[in-house]
């Protein structure tokens, strides 16, 4: 490759790559401000739609679903950690326009951990000391500290994998036959936690579900006019497909309004013992009145975190699944933003920053790690705006929303059936994303079909069996028994491990083995890395502005994979 070609490629990197903010709007016009603000609201709302679900599922696992104040705390902490993670990812991580949000896949290992007998209320109450007749602790706080400690440890492992570049080595053994069953069983398994919310009032739940389908499928092509102004065109209407962008928010808003009307007119029962009472909008209204205006998430506010071997391996399994998903999101974001594919060191930085952000979240009580939101990638493709200014500003707004306690309280009073109905769709989409990964393999191969079927069947049925036979594992070592029990009770581990083991153990055909397995498609990421290594010497790397001068002066830092290349 000639020097001229290398210089041209470097110039293209500076123009379209990761060192500049990209935005396809004309400068110095009022229309740019309006579209900037509109896209900012879309990205923030899309993230909030996912954040409001995770704390509800977490509260169920902690045993505090009937305590609105704890829900409010979890929501505020979730918004705060998502904002911090988004800012760090856009400024220091992969430096692509990405929104970070709560990862609901961590609900599965939480359920597996708390299924152990040691975490039942009876066992925990025996361990709580009583001083002067006063109970000094609460069972839900002990569970919270267990998840905090193990999440911090698993996230630190994720940071090390990204910072050292080891993630690139492990991804070579992971193909569609591993990814597809892992993601698919996540959606199918977590869906069971949405059903208890729906059954509180199936009418309201189905209404939110139906509205989301109508908005996302039937009204997706309708463009709603938005008033804008520019010097060239003056006042004019820009038509936006609003129903395609935020169907979740619209469905929640309309159903919430109907629930309010039914509450005011007393159509919904006011007696808490009657079916349908939880669909009222005033069930947790006291949480809004009693919540403080400002709430600052502090480290270790629930006590010093605890760590266990069983808890660590459970959270690590979810972390690995999140890492695989985020890696694919980076390439998808680069594609829709029309920039060059992220080189290996950008991917490494992104994974490392996700681990760092999740560690911070674990310290302050955000016990669902951060991950990339695919919904926001779709918003980029629709709005054609990929400016990191928008995403950093959205991160700042999320931080402010977490600090202002009343905002978290407002989301707390959303009726449970609405959340349950919406999650039936969103978790179904997670399942569909996992199934769509199979497009890269040869589905005519009996080898691939057997691996897929075996992985999914074991991933769904073994955790179900373990739920009713929690004492089945008895090797003589209590700690080892707990580790095995948690792993076998975590669907993503069982499905992912089975798929990865069989995919790498069973040979494919001699001629098209890699193609039929779909591994060739996943190897493209590493081919991009080889191209970048040819184009850049050790003095050319993606710059992190805050540390650029230090990196340039110290030649030893050029060898680090998260700075230059693998």
């Amino acid at each position: 490759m000639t020097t001229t070609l290398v210089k041209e490629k470097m110039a293209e990197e500076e123009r379209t790559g990761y060192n500049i903010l990209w935005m396809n709007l004309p400068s110095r016009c009022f229309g740019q401000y309006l579209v900037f603000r509109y896209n900012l609201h879309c990205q923030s709302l899309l993230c909030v739609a996912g954040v409001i679900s995770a704390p509800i599922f977490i509260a169920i696992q902690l045993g505090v679903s009937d305590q609105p104040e704890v829900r409010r705390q979890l929501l505020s902490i979730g918004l705060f950690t998502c904002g911090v993670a988004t800012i760090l990812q856009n400024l220091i991580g992969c430096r692509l326009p990405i929104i970070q949000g709560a990862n609901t896949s961590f609900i599965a290992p939480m359920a597996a951990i708390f299924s152990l007998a040691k975490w039942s209320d009876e066992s925990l109450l025996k361990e709580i000391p009583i001083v002067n007749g006063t109970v000094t602790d609460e069972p839900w706080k002990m569970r919270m500290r267990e998840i905090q400690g193990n999440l911090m440890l698993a996230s630190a492992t994720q940071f090390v994998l990204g910072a050292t570049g080891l993630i690139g080595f492990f991804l070579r053994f992971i193909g569609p036959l591993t990814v597809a069953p892992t993601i698919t069983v996540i959606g199918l398994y977590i869906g069971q936690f949405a059903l208890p919310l729906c059954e509180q009032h199936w009418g309201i739940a189905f209404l939110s579900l139906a509205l989301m389908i109508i908005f996302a499928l039937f009204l997706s092509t309708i463009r709603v006019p938005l008033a804008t102004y520019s010097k060239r065109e003056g006042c004019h209407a820009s038509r936006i497909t609003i129903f395609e962008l935020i169907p979740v928010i619209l469905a929640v808003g309309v159903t919430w309004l109907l629930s309010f009307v039914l509450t005011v007119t007393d159509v919904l029962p006011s007696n808490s013992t009657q079916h349908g009472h939880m669909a009222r909008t005033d069930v947790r209204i006291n949480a809004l009145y009693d919540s403080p205006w400002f709430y600052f998430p502090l480290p270790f506010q629930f006590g010093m975190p605890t760590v266990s071997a069983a808890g660590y391996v459970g959270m690590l399994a979810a972390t690995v699944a999140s890492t695989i998903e985020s890696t694919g999101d980076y390439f998808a974001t680069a594609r829709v933003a029309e920039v060059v594919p992220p080189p290996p060191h950008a991917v490494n930085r992104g994974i490392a920053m996700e681990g760092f952000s999740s560690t911070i979240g674990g310290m302050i009580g955000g016990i669902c790690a951060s991950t990339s939101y695919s919904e926001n990638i779709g918003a980029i493709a629709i709005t054609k705006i990929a400016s990191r200014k928008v995403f950093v500003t959205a991160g700042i707004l999320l931080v402010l929303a977490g600090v202002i306690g009343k905002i978290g309280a407002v989301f707390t009073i959303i009726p449970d059936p609405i959340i349950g109905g919406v999650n039936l769709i969103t978790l179904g989409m997670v399942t569909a994303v996992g199934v769509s990964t199979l497009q890269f393999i040869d589905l005519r191969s009996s080898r691939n079909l057997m691996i897929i079927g075996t992985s999914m069947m074991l991933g769904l049925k073994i955790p179900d069996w373990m739920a009713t036979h929690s004492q089945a594992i008895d090797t003589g070592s209590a700690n080892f028994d707990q580790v095995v029990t948690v792993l076998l009770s975590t669907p993503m581990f069982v499905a992912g491990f089975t798929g990865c083991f069989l995919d790498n153990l069973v040979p494919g055909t001699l001629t098209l083995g890699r193609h039929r397995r779909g591994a060739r498609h996943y190897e493209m990421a590493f081919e991009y890395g080889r191209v970048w290594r040819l184009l850049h010497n050790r003095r050319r790397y993606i710059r992190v502005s805050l540390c650029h001068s230090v990196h340039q002066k110290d030649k030893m830092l050029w060898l680090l994979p998260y700075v230059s290349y693998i």
Side-chain angles (χ1 to χ4, degrees):
M1 184 174 294
T2 63
T3 305
T4 303
L5 183 58
V6 172
K7 289 182 178 180
E8 291 178 355
K9 189 63 178 178
M10 290 180 178
E12 180 182 356
E13 171 205 340
E14 295 290 340
R15 178 173 56 84
T16 63
Y18 303 86
N19 292 327
I20 61 174
L21 293 175
W22 178 83
M23 194 169 188
N24 65 340
L25 297 175
S27 59
R28 298 181 182 179
C29 72
F30 185 64
Q32 173 179 345
Y33 165 74
L34 289 178
V35 178
F36 175 93
R37 187 179 67 176
Y38 167 76
N39 192 65
L40 173 62
H41 292 166
C42 286
Q43 298 294 352
S44 302
L45 289 175
L46 283 171
C47 180
V48 169
V51 172
I52 61 178
S53 301
I56 295 177
F57 293 144
I58 294 173
I60 294 174
Q61 298 303 320
L62 295 177
V64 290
S65 58
D66 57 342
Q67 299 185 29
E69 179 60 24
V70 178
R71 276 198 187 189
R72 196 267 309 165
Q73 282 183 287
L74 294 176
L75 273 165
S76 297
I77 294 172
L79 291 169
F80 182 85
T81 54
C82 289
V84 171
T86 298
I87 295 171
L88 292 177
Q89 191 66 262
N90 282 269
L91 295 180
I92 303 176
C94 66
R95 306 191 72 196
L96 284 165
I98 287 179
I99 288 286
Q100 298 279 291
N103 190 353
T104 53
S105 63
F106 281 79
I107 304 298
M110 288 184 198
I113 294 171
F114 295 146
S115 65
L116 299 176
K118 61 179 292 188
W119 295 110
S120 64
D121 286 342
E122 294 77 10
S123 300
L124 293 177
L125 289 173
K126 294 178 181 179
E127 300 179 6
I128 298 177
I130 300 177
V131 179
N132 297 327
T134 303
V135 179
T136 59
D137 207 346
E138 297 180 66
W140 74 268
K141 290 185 177 180
M142 299 175 70
R143 298 188 186 100
M144 170 75 83
R145 293 195 293 269
E146 175 71 9
I147 297 301
Q148 281 185 267
N150 292 300
L151 174 62
M152 292 171 60
L153 190 59
S155 300
T157 305
Q158 183 183 23
F159 175 81
V160 172
L161 290 176
T164 58
L166 289 175
I167 186 64
F169 171 77
F170 289 114
L171 287 179
R172 296 177 186 273
F173 301 97
I174 297 175
L177 291 176
T178 302
V179 176
T182 301
I183 299 178
T184 300
V185 299
I186 290 176
L188 294 175
Y189 180 79
I190 300 180
Q192 65 179 324
F193 300 114
L195 291 180
L197 303 178
C198 295
E199 66 184 9
Q200 295 175 6
H201 197 294
W202 279 107
I204 297 296
F206 272 118
L207 176 61
S208 61
L209 183 149
L211 287 175
M212 190 170 174
I213 293 176
I214 293 172
F215 293 149
L217 299 181
F218 295 98
L219 303 180
S220 60
T221 58
I222 296 179
R223 296 180 176 272
V224 179
L226 176 67
T228 57
Y229 172 81
S230 64
K231 291 183 179 180
R232 175 180 298 180
E233 301 181 11
C235 293
H236 64 283
S238 299
R239 297 185 174 273
I240 306 297
T241 54
I242 187 69
F243 296 107
E244 184 179 16
L245 277 173
I246 50 174
V248 177
I249 299 300
L250 294 176
V252 170
V254 173
T255 314
W256 196 0
L257 178 61
L258 177 62
S259 296
F260 173 74
V261 173
L262 297 178
T263 300
V264 173
T265 56
D266 285 332
V267 174
L268 295 173
S270 57
N271 190 342
S272 59
T273 60
Q274 294 182 358
H275 178 72
H277 172 74
M278 294 305 296
R280 294 178 63 93
T281 56
D282 58 356
V283 172
R284 291 182 290 268
I285 194 65
N286 289 333
L288 179 61
Y289 298 144
D290 299 338
S291 63
W293 275 101
F294 296 99
Y295 172 75
F296 297 96
L298 300 176
F300 312 126
Q301 57 185 315
F302 302 106
M304 189 58 62
T306 59
V307 178
S308 65
Y312 170 68
V313 297
M315 302 305 284
L316 184 62
T319 300
V320 172
S322 175
T323 300
I324 297 172
E325 181 182 0
S326 294
T327 303
D329 287 340
Y330 298 158
F331 285 92
T333 303
R335 185 172 63 253
V336 299
E338 300 178 5
V339 296
V340 293
H345 51 89
V347 175
N348 289 338
R349 284 203 315 270
I351 298 301
M353 204 48 55
E354 283 194 13
F356 180 74
S357 302
S358 300
T359 303
I360 295 177
M363 291 176 60
I364 64 177
I367 56 178
C368 254
S370 302
T371 188
S372 303
Y373 268 17
S374 303
E375 296 90 342
N376 297 88
I377 301 174
I380 296 176
I382 296 172
T383 61
K384 305 301 181 184
I385 299 177
S387 172
R388 286 189 290 135
K389 292 179 181 178
V390 172
F391 290 81
V392 172
T393 308
I396 295 174
L397 290 181
L398 289 171
V399 171
L400 294 177
V403 172
I404 301 175
K406 294 295 184 182
I407 295 180
V410 168
F411 292 126
T412 301
I413 64 177
I414 299 177
D416 288 347
I418 298 178
I419 303 298
V422 169
N423 274 279
L424 289 180
I425 295 291
T426 56
L427 293 174
M429 289 298 296
V430 173
T431 303
V433 169
V435 174
S436 67
T437 310
L438 300 176
Q439 64 182 303
F440 303 116
I441 69 172
D442 184 6
L443 292 176
R444 297 170 299 178
S445 170
S446 59
R447 169 194 179 275
N448 293 343
L449 293 177
M450 182 171 291
I451 293 176
I452 295 168
T454 304
S455 302
M456 291 187 179
M457 183 60 68
L458 294 181
L460 291 173
K461 295 306 176 183
I462 288 182
D464 286 345
W465 185 84
M466 291 298 301
T468 57
H469 300 80
S470 57
Q471 305 298 325
I473 307 299
D474 186 8
T475 62
S477 174
N479 290 332
F480 184 75
D481 291 346
Q482 292 176 4
V483 171
V484 176
T485 300
V486 169
L487 287 178
L488 294 180
S489 301
T490 306
M492 65 189 69
F493 170 78
V494 178
F497 177 80
T498 304
C500 184
F501 178 76
L502 294 178
D503 188 27
N504 289 277
L505 179 66
V506 181
T509 60
L510 296 177
T511 56
L512 297 176
R514 300 293 287 175
H515 291 276
R516 292 192 176 184
R517 291 171 53 193
R520 183 60 183 167
H521 173 80
Y522 275 61
E523 287 175 351
M524 291 179 64
F526 302 102
E527 290 183 358
Y528 289 139
R530 299 188 191 103
V531 173
W532 279 81
R533 286 196 289 270
L534 291 175
L535 293 175
H536 300 272
N537 55 36
R538 293 182 186 274
R539 292 183 179 272
R540 294 289 304 177
Y541 49 83
I542 302 303
R543 300 175 181 176
V544 180
S545 57
L546 298 177
C547 308
H548 171 56
S549 59
V550 177
H551 292 164
Q552 195 172 25
K553 293 178 181 178
D554 193 343
K555 295 183 179 180
M556 291 298 295
L557 291 178
W558 297 347
L559 302 177
L560 296 179
Y562 67 90
V563 175
S564 56
Y565 58 86
I566 294 180

